[in-house]
Amino acid sequence: MSYPGYPPPAGTYPPQPGFYPPQAGGYPPQPGGYPPQPGGYPPQAGGYPPQAGGYPPQAGGYPPQAGGYPPQPGAYPPQPGSYPPQAGAYPSPLPTGTWGGGPSGGYPSTAPGSYPNPGYNAGMPGGTMPQQQYPGMGYPGQPGQTMSGYPQAPSPNPPMPGYGGAPSPNPSMPAYGGGAMPVAPSSNGVFRGTIKDFPGADPLKDVEVLRKAMKGFGTDEQAIIDLLGSRSNKQRVPLLRSYKTSYGKDLIKDLHSELSGDFRNLVMAMLKSPAELDASELHSAMKGAGTDEACMIEILSSRSNAEIKEINRIYKESYKKSLEDAIKSDTSGHFCRLLISLAQGNRDERENIDVSLAQQDAQALYAAGENKLGTDESKFNAILCARSKPHLRTVFYEYQKMCGRDIEKSINREMSGDLESGMLAVVKCIKNTPGYFAERLYKSMKGAGTKDRTLIRIMVSRSEIDMLDIRQEYVKNYGKSLYTHIHGDTSGDYRKLLIKLCGGND
C-alpha cells in the first residue's frame, strides 16, 4: 500500500449478475470473427454489441437483440497490460481528473447532513467549471449508491448548481466547493480553487491509510496531512462512513483523541460537508456570551440561495431550533432584520441587469440615506438583500456616479455599530468577493494573536472555489502573499495543512 495516491488496482470489479465478466487474459472479440450461423442461438440481451469489422449477419441468422449494454460513462479504464480496446468494444478511457478517470462530477456526500443541493456560494462571478455527473459515480459501499462502471446505474446525486456539480446559477458569485464567488478577476468558468478531486481516490484505501497513521504508539500526522490535503470535500466526507464500514469505529472520535489544538480543529472542519461547516459555525457564533456578528454576515452574505436553504435544513436538524429563531434570540433591531433577510435564501439570482431599475434603486438608496434627515434602514435592507448581485454592482456604480461618493462611505456616515459593519460586509462581498475574503483573512492574522476559527473556516470553505483569486487580491492589497502570512503566523502540523489549502506562494 502506498499513499496518498495508489496505482490502479490490477483486475476489475467482480462480475455482476447479468453482466459478462471480463475473462482474465481473454482476447477481446476480434474484427473479422465468424458471423452468427443460421440456426445458432441468438445473441442474448446483455451480450456484447456487434464488433466493428465483423461480417454482417448471414441470411437466416437471428438479428442482434436489443438490450446490449451501452458503454457506461464512469467505467474503469482498461488496466495496464490488457489488450487495447477494439473498435466498437469498450469506450476509450475517460479523461483523468476524478473518480474512475471521469470529470469531477461530485461524489454523493453520505454523512448526516451531507450537501444534496447546490454547493457553497453557487453563483458568484467566476464560479466553477461546468461539470458533468456520470451515472454511477458514487463512492463504493454507500447505501443506495452504485459503483462506477456498473451498467445503467442512475446517479444517486444529480449535478447540483454550485457544489462542484453543475454550472453555477449565478456565475457572478463564487461558490463553496464549486460554484459561487470569484468576483475580482472574472475567471470565465475556469476552476479557481486549489483543492481538486484526486484522480482514482478509493475511500476504502484512504481510510486504511488513516487507520495506519493512528494505530500503535504515536500518530503519523504527516500521513494525515498528505491524504486530507489532497482530497476534495466530496472525497473527504464519505471517509467517515467508509472508516466505520471497515473498522466499526468512528473516524471523528479517533482523530479527536489522536490530534490536538488548532490542527485538530482544522482536520474536523475538513471532514464536514460545506453546509454542516456553515451551520456549525453559525451555531458557535451565537453560542455563549457574545456573538460573532462578522462570522454570521460573512456566511449569509456570500452563500447562494440553495446553499442557505441547505444550511437552514442542517441547522434545524442538528440544533432542534430554526436558524431564524436562533438569530432572533441572539440579535436585535435592524441588524437582526438584516440577518433574517439574508437567511431566507431568497435573493434574485438572475443574471440580466436592467440599468433603468438600477438607477431607480440608486436614487432610492440616496433618498433613504444621504438625502434625508435620519436614515431609512429598511430601504437599504430591502435593496441589498433582495436584488441580484450583478444588479447591485450596477446600483453601486450608478450611486457613485449620481452623488460622487461610493456606497460604503454613505453607510459609514449614516449607520453605526453592528448594522454599519453588517451592511458594509454585504456591500464588500457583493462588489468583490475574493477581495472581501482576503480582507477577512488579513484581519484574522493581523496584530497580536490569530483568529484561528476565522482562518480555518475561510481556508477550508474557499479552497475549492476562489482561493487563487483571494491570493491575488491578498498580494495586491497587502503587499505580501497569503502563503507568507500563514507561514509566519502559524506553526507545526497546523501550518502544513493550511499551506496545502493555500496551494502555493505568489
Side-chain angles (χ1 to χ4, degrees):
M1 178 190 68
S2 62
Y3 53 79
Y6 314 97
T12 56
Y13 278 95
Q16 300 306 306
F19 192 42
Y20 280 63
Q23 299 304 314
Y27 288 87
Q30 301 300 313
Y34 287 102
Q37 298 305 311
Y41 284 100
Q44 297 305 307
Y48 288 97
Q51 304 302 309
Y55 288 101
Q58 301 304 307
Y62 285 94
Q65 300 302 309
Y69 286 108
Q72 296 302 312
Y76 278 87
Q79 301 302 311
S82 62
Y83 285 89
Q86 303 304 313
Y90 289 101
S92 59
L94 295 166
T96 54
T98 62
W99 189 259
S104 43
Y107 303 114
S109 206
T110 53
S114 58
Y115 218 42
N117 34 14
Y120 271 40
N121 317 322
M124 297 178 59
T128 102
M129 311 190 271
Q131 294 164 344
Q132 179 182 359
Q133 175 93 11
Y134 283 89
M137 286 189 67
Y139 269 88
Q142 306 302 320
Q145 295 173 18
T146 51
M147 316 246 302
S148 69
Y150 283 21
Q152 294 178 330
S155 165
N157 185 11
M160 305 306 290
Y163 194 149
S168 162
N170 182 6
S172 63
M173 301 184 42
Y176 218 48
M181 229 149 157
V183 175
S186 173
S187 41
N188 298 321
V190 176
F191 180 70
R192 299 296 292 162
T194 49
I195 300 288
K196 301 177 184 175
D197 289 336
F198 187 85
D202 179 344
L204 295 175
K205 289 181 178 175
D206 285 353
V207 296
E208 197 181 329
V209 172
L210 292 173
R211 176 74 179 141
K212 189 177 172 188
M214 292 185 281
K215 239 169 74 173
F217 183 72
T219 305
D220 183 355
E221 285 89 355
Q222 191 59 49
I224 295 170
I225 292 165
D226 289 341
L227 190 129
L228 295 182
S230 62
R231 301 293 187 269
S232 67
N233 183 270
K234 46 190 170 286
Q235 290 174 326
R236 295 190 303 260
V237 171
L239 297 180
L240 281 83
R241 182 163 291 188
S242 298
Y243 190 85
K244 196 165 275 189
T245 302
S246 294
Y247 305 109
K249 298 183 65 145
D250 189 303
L251 177 59
I252 296 292
K253 284 182 182 168
D254 281 4
L255 285 167
H256 199 274
S257 66
E258 294 288 332
L259 310 176
S260 63
D262 292 321
F263 178 54
R264 175 168 68 192
N265 295 337
L266 175 55
V267 167
M268 296 297 130
M270 290 178 74
L271 289 170
K272 288 183 168 85
S273 74
E276 288 172 332
L277 179 59
D278 280 349
S280 128
E281 289 293 292
L282 286 167
H283 179 69
S284 298
M286 294 182 277
K287 197 173 66 177
T291 304
D292 185 350
E293 293 87 358
C295 162
M296 297 170 74
I297 286 285
E298 174 202 304
I299 292 171
L300 294 174
S301 65
S302 62
R303 310 306 191 233
S304 70
N305 288 349
E307 290 160 357
I308 289 172
K309 287 185 169 72
E310 179 66 358
I311 292 165
N312 273 286
R313 186 185 72 77
I314 299 279
Y315 195 96
K316 181 76 180 279
E317 188 182 277
S318 304
Y319 305 110
K320 312 302 177 214
K321 183 179 191 177
S322 74
L323 176 58
E324 185 175 325
D325 287 344
I327 291 169
K328 281 178 185 169
S329 64
D330 211 67
T331 60
S332 60
H334 287 289
F335 180 65
C336 174
R337 292 184 210 173
L338 172 64
L339 289 171
I340 288 174
S341 296
L342 293 171
Q344 300 312 300
N346 199 31
R347 183 185 291 284
D348 178 5
E349 288 188 334
R350 288 172 298 182
E351 286 300 304
N352 56 311
I353 297 167
D354 179 341
V355 176
S356 64
L357 178 60
Q359 289 168 341
Q360 287 173 34
D361 282 348
Q363 286 162 359
L365 288 174
Y366 181 65
E370 294 278 4
N371 204 31
K372 74 183 295 256
L373 191 61
T375 307
D376 182 357
E377 292 88 351
S378 58
K379 178 56 73 178
F380 275 79
N381 199 88
I383 292 173
L384 292 180
C385 298
R387 301 288 197 229
S388 76
K389 300 195 176 185
H391 173 86
L392 284 171
R393 282 191 277 276
T394 309
V395 170
F396 301 154
Y397 171 74
E398 293 294 335
Y399 185 92
Q400 183 154 18
K401 252 185 11 179
M402 184 180 70
C403 69
R405 179 180 291 127
D406 67 29
I407 188 83
E408 292 101 318
K409 286 199 171 67
S410 293
I411 290 171
N412 279 327
R413 286 158 57 101
E414 297 295 320
M415 299 176 193
S416 61
D418 291 338
L419 181 64
E420 178 193 356
S421 52
M423 289 278 186
L424 279 175
V426 172
V427 169
K428 285 177 183 176
C429 188
I430 289 167
K431 269 191 166 181
N432 178 349
T433 306
Y436 168 70
F437 279 107
E439 182 186 356
R440 294 278 295 145
L441 285 168
Y442 178 73
K443 287 181 174 174
S444 75
M445 294 183 281
K446 190 181 71 168
T450 304
K451 296 186 179 74
D452 293 290
R453 187 161 207 124
T454 303
L455 180 59
I456 289 170
R457 179 179 62 251
I458 296 174
M459 293 303 292
V460 172
S461 65
R462 309 313 296 178
S463 60
E464 294 179 44
I465 300 162
D466 56 354
M467 186 57 72
L468 295 177
D469 295 326
I470 292 169
R471 279 165 44 183
Q472 281 181 10
E473 291 290 312
Y474 204 95
V475 174
K476 187 174 84 182
N477 296 336
Y478 306 110
K480 66 174 175 179
S481 69
L482 176 58
Y483 177 101
T484 306
H485 206 160
I486 290 172
H487 199 274
D489 213 63
T490 59
S491 61
D493 297 317
Y494 177 48
R495 173 166 67 195
K496 289 180 193 171
L497 190 48
L498 282 174
I499 292 296
K500 283 253 187 190
L501 295 173
C502 180
N505 203 348
D506 298 295

